[in-house]
């Protein structure tokens, strides 16, 4: 092993929480311990940097957390860190403790903060993509996405049982303010007759045509999966418009909400989090900074944070087509 470019690191979880953040934290702490780096945990994301909330972490402080959802360090959205004064205070605390580098586990907001912090004060930063939305460029999947997707799928399966029993039409909203990955994949996996996502231009006429096709094909119950950020309207607007167009339909709305963020991480998320937590520490030791560790085609890759923020993972339009063909 080459001589490490860093000796003392701090790790935090920030922004929207995601299942697998604990597994990533465990990987960071244990990899640091393995390579004799001093490692500190920071509570509540950027707030902890500002409030000097650092705790020395060793391999036993992350015992049994690989199975746990949420984040033991807690997460936060820090308004103060968005100010120069806030970041100055955060930097002073890092300097006092002699922190060489930060491992930032979070989504694109977290990375934006890390990028600015690095450019202003020169402190080394490395990102680990932890978000259920899967919208971060530079990694095939983000930590938490697989678990959230499976949670959504299981919930929609349960809705399907009741929809079938009563010949109902269900509109189900899943998370994804800017990205339709959860909607597209959970919709395909549960046989939704239509999937509405922000990346795609939808129209109420198209939706009505789908209902007509489903009816003609003899479907007695239907599920439409809608991403939170769908541009055509809220799930309630869509249900209302459908009722106006099809007065005989027994329509129900279900918003899955925060259950999608919770729960024990899936095997895929635990493995990904372990790989990326490890890669973050090794990347820092090799002298990398202002990059994000990701996994592409099963290879660990480092993408400049600036690029990870600016670009987005594209959804696969082929999946939408397959879903349309298979659902009816
Ligand atoms: P996520 O990381 O899940 O996208 P947020 O968008 O809430 O979540 O970002 C997490 C935190 O990152 C914010 O609360 C804030 O402290 C910090 N952050 C986000 N954008 C900026 C920015 N432009 N400048 C400084 N800090 C930022």
């Amino acid at each position: 092993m080459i001589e490490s470019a860093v000796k003392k690191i701090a790790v935090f979880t920030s922004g929207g929480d995601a299942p697998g953040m604990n597994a990533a934290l465990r990987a960071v702490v244990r990899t640091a311990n393995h390579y004799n780096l001093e490692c500190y945990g920071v509570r509540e994301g950027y707030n902890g940097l500002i409030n000097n909330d650092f705790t020395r972490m060793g391999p036993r402080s992350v015992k049994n957390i690989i199975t746990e959802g949420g984040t033991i360090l807690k997460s936060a959205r820090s308004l103060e860190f968005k100010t120069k004064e806030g970041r100055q205070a955060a930097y002073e605390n890092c300097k006092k403790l002699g922190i060489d580098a930060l491992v930032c586990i979070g989504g694109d907001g977290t990375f934006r903060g890390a990028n600015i912090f690095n450019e202003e004060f020169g402190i080394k930063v490395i990102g680990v993509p932890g978000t259920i939305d899967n919208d971060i460029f530079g990694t095939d999947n983000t930590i938490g996405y697989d678990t959230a997707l499976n949670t959504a799928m299981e919930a929609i399966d349960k809705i399907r049982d009741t929809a079938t029993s009563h010949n109902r039409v269900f509109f189900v909203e899943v998370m994804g303010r800017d990205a339709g990955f959860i909607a597209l994949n959970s919709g395909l996996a549960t046989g939704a007759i239509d999937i509405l996502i922000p990346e795609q231009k939808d129209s109420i006429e198209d939706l009505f045509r789908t209902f007509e096709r489903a009816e003609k094909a003899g479907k007695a119950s239907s599920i439409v999966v809608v991403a939170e950020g769908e541009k055509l309207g809220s799930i309630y607007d869509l249900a209302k418009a459908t009722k106006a167009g099809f007065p005989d339909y027994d329509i129900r709305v279900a918003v899955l909400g925060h259950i999608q963020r919770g729960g024990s991480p899936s095997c895929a998320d635990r493995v990904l989090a372990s790989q990326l937590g490890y890669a973050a520490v090794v990347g820092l030791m090799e002298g990398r900074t202002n990059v994000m560790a990701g996994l592409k085609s099963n290879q660990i890759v480092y993408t400049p944070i600036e690029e990870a923020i600016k670009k987005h993972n594209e959804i696969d339009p082929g999946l939408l087509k397959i879903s349309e063909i298979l659902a009816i």
Side-chain angles (χ1 to χ4, degrees):
M1 192 82 196
I2 51 151
E3 190 171 344
S4 173
V6 293
K7 299 268 180 291
K8 234 188 224 193
I9 65 170
V11 53
F12 59 84
T13 52
S14 162
D17 62 313
M21 279 183 159
N22 278 327
L25 170 66
R26 169 181 178 270
V28 169
V29 171
R30 292 205 172 157
T31 305
N33 177 68
H34 179 81
Y35 290 117
N36 296 317
L37 308 183
E38 238 180 88
C39 183
Y40 290 80
V42 184
R43 282 167 64 87
E44 299 189 9
Y46 290 117
N47 279 341
L49 291 183
I50 295 167
N51 301 330
N52 208 14
D53 202 348
F54 294 80
T55 313
R56 180 86 164 87
M57 294 188 90
R60 299 277 69 74
S61 53
V62 289
K63 68 179 179 204
N64 292 338
I65 67 167
I66 194 166
T67 63
E68 284 181 29
T71 156
I72 62 162
L73 286 179
K74 296 192 181 287
S75 187
R77 295 203 150 99
S78 169
L79 288 179
E80 230 183 317
F81 195 75
K82 288 190 169 177
T83 66
K84 180 86 199 245
E85 297 72 38
R87 292 192 297 274
Q88 182 74 45
Y91 177 66
E92 297 301 330
N93 288 330
C94 290
K95 208 167 80 178
K96 247 189 291 168
L97 198 59
I99 299 293
D100 300 318
L102 299 172
V103 180
C104 319
I105 306 170
D108 57 356
T110 298
F111 297 162
R112 210 162 283 131
N115 186 41
I116 291 170
F117 201 39
N118 169 265
E119 283 176 356
E120 274 176 353
F121 297 101
I123 188 156
K124 290 177 178 162
V125 295
I126 195 157
V128 175
T131 165
I132 64 167
D133 291 338
N134 205 35
D135 56 348
I136 307 264
F137 182 82
T139 190
D140 291 339
N141 288 309
T142 56
I143 298 164
Y145 168 61
D146 183 69
T147 307
L149 187 56
N150 279 288
T151 301
M153 183 190 74
E154 284 166 21
I156 299 168
D157 282 347
K158 287 177 179 147
I159 288 169
R160 160 83 62 199
D161 290 345
T162 169
T164 312
S165 304
H166 291 276
N167 288 346
R168 279 178 177 149
V169 171
F170 263 92
F171 284 87
V172 184
E173 185 189 278
V174 298
M175 277 187 168
R177 243 174 280 156
D178 305 301
F181 288 97
I182 295 180
L184 177 55
N185 288 276
S186 66
L188 175 57
T190 56
I193 61 157
D194 213 339
I195 301 167
L196 306 179
I197 55 176
E199 292 91 338
Q200 172 195 241
K201 198 168 170 349
D202 295 304
S203 75
I204 206 78
E205 292 76 22
D206 281 345
L207 179 63
F208 282 14
R209 267 193 290 277
T210 304
F211 281 124
E212 281 157 10
R213 272 179 48 228
E215 219 176 285
K216 266 201 204 120
K219 268 187 102 94
S221 69
S222 297
I223 287 174
V224 177
V225 174
V226 185
E228 204 180 353
E230 166 60 19
K231 298 203 173 72
L232 195 54
S234 78
I235 195 164
Y236 299 101
D237 297 337
L238 295 170
K240 211 167 144 195
T242 304
K243 187 70 186 169
F246 299 86
D248 296 344
Y249 282 11
D250 185 6
I251 299 173
R252 292 289 189 276
V253 164
V255 177
L256 298 189
H258 284 79
I259 62 162
Q260 293 161 94
R261 282 198 189 281
S264 179
S266 67
C267 181
D269 273 332
R270 293 183 200 188
V271 172
L272 178 66
S274 301
Q275 285 172 289
L276 298 187
Y278 166 85
V281 176
V282 170
L284 286 174
M285 290 172 66
E286 290 169 349
R288 296 175 204 271
T289 179
N290 216 1
V291 294
M292 181 195 85
L295 198 72
K296 276 181 152 179
S297 306
N298 266 327
Q299 297 292 318
I300 286 169
V301 290
Y302 297 94
T303 303
I305 282 191
E306 223 171 347
E307 209 179 323
I309 299 165
K310 277 201 191 122
K311 296 186 185 168
H312 286 285
N313 274 350
E314 303 284 331
I315 60 132
D316 176 2
L319 282 185
L320 269 176
K321 181 161 183 221
I322 292 172
S323 167
E324 270 169 34
I325 292 171
L326 301 188
I328 295 177

